[in-house]
Amino acid sequence: MQRPTIYERQIVMFIAHTSLLRTQLSHPKDSFCNISCIFLTIATFIFTLSFAYSQETKTQQENAQSSDDLTLLFLDNKNITIGDKHVLLIFNKNECYYCEILKTSLIENPTIHGYLILNFSTYLININSKTKHNIPYLKLSGVNSLDMAKLYKITALPSMVFISTDSKEIMRIVGFPGERRLIRILEFVNNDLWKQFDTQKDRIEGFLEYEEDSH
């Protein structure tokens, strides 16, 4: 059930207050006091309604901005394509604590957010979704999200899988690594430092050395 807006709550309060005043006016004791109460109620209502409107407008603007951020960061995952940027597949699910922490960091940390938009093609894959995915680089179409997770042998969430521009898996990160480490991971992949190593295991070890040298 949708929660009432601030606007709607203020109107309900005004109606309740008006009903109370009607009760008081039906038993007049001090007409001056009653008139003062009416004016005070109207003034209070105008002020609170104005405040409620500004808060509602602010909330709508923030929601619109959040939606724009999501659209810019996460590409349409119905068609997962590889172009001139490395691909980042982020597997998550509903009601996953660390999935939400990771997603929030990607959206709200300006360094991470900007770096991803500039250097990666990022796709968010929610395994609870009914979306069908076309994956041209694997010559697959109509793959649902859960089967896609199985295809990449995802065993824990969240998981990040980096795919090179020649369709090869570079490395994967399971869980939320923390924002500072995540920035270093993105640098390691985007700057092609991983190419110095032949296996994913060696790339992880190479990354740890790179991270240590970066401190």
Side-chain angles (χ1 to χ4, degrees):
M1 184 177 179
Q2 188 176 6
R3 295 180 60 185
T5 64
I6 298 174
Y7 223 32
E8 292 167 338
R9 291 197 296 270
Q10 292 298 336
I11 291 173
V12 170
M13 289 177 63
F14 176 71
I15 292 172
H17 204 156
T18 301
S19 297
L20 179 61
L21 276 175
R22 284 176 178 172
T23 302
Q24 292 176 339
L25 288 171
S26 64
H27 300 85
K29 293 181 180 179
D30 188 331
S31 59
F32 177 77
C33 178
N34 286 331
I35 293 172
S36 299
C37 287
I38 291 173
F39 279 113
L40 179 60
T41 299
I42 293 173
T44 301
F45 174 68
I46 292 172
F47 172 78
T48 55
L49 198 60
S50 175
F51 175 76
Y53 177 78
S54 65
Q55 291 297 104
E56 198 71 25
T57 301
K58 181 180 178 182
T59 299
Q60 290 173 355
Q61 290 173 342
E62 289 174 348
N63 289 339
Q65 180 62 48
S66 177
S67 179
D68 290 342
D69 289 343
L70 285 173
T71 303
L72 285 171
L73 179 58
F74 300 122
L75 303 180
D76 182 0
N77 63 17
K78 292 180 181 178
N79 293 290
I80 300 175
T81 59
I82 294 179
D84 58 355
K85 298 179 181 180
H86 295 316
V87 168
L88 171 56
L89 303 176
I90 302 173
F91 292 88
N92 72 341
K93 69 176 182 178
N94 299 338
E95 299 180 359
C96 166
Y97 178 73
Y98 287 105
C99 296
E100 287 303 313
I101 291 180
L102 173 60
K103 185 177 176 181
T104 299
S105 292
L106 298 180
I107 296 170
E108 296 185 0
N109 184 303
T111 301
I112 296 174
H113 187 96
Y115 199 90
L116 282 172
I117 290 176
L118 186 63
N119 299 296
F120 289 86
S121 296
T122 307
Y123 296 93
L124 185 66
I125 312 297
N126 186 327
I127 66 170
N128 298 122
S129 170
K130 303 298 183 182
T131 302
K132 299 290 185 179
H133 309 281
N134 297 319
I135 317 172
Y137 62 89
L138 295 179
K139 298 180 179 179
L140 295 172
S141 61
V143 180
N144 67 43
S145 298
L146 184 57
D147 285 341
M148 187 170 174
K150 292 177 180 178
L151 180 67
Y152 277 97
K153 299 179 181 179
I154 301 299
T155 58
L157 297 170
S159 284
M160 293 178 283
V161 180
F162 293 91
I163 310 294
S164 68
T165 52
D166 60 356
S167 309
K168 300 294 190 297
E169 183 174 332
I170 298 171
M171 56 192 287
R172 61 178 59 199
I173 305 296
V174 178
F176 175 63
E179 293 185 347
R180 180 177 296 181
R181 171 167 282 185
L182 179 54
I183 292 171
R184 294 289 178 262
I185 292 170
L186 297 177
E187 293 172 348
F188 182 80
V189 174
N190 180 60
N191 294 327
D192 290 335
L193 300 178
W194 58 274
K195 289 185 176 180
Q196 303 172 37
F197 310 95
D198 295 328
T199 67
Q200 289 197 40
K201 180 180 178 182
D202 290 341
R203 290 166 191 165
I204 292 296
E205 292 177 356
F207 163 71
L208 293 175
E209 292 178 6
Y210 166 75
E211 183 182 40
E212 183 67 26
D213 293 340
S214 299
H215 287 163

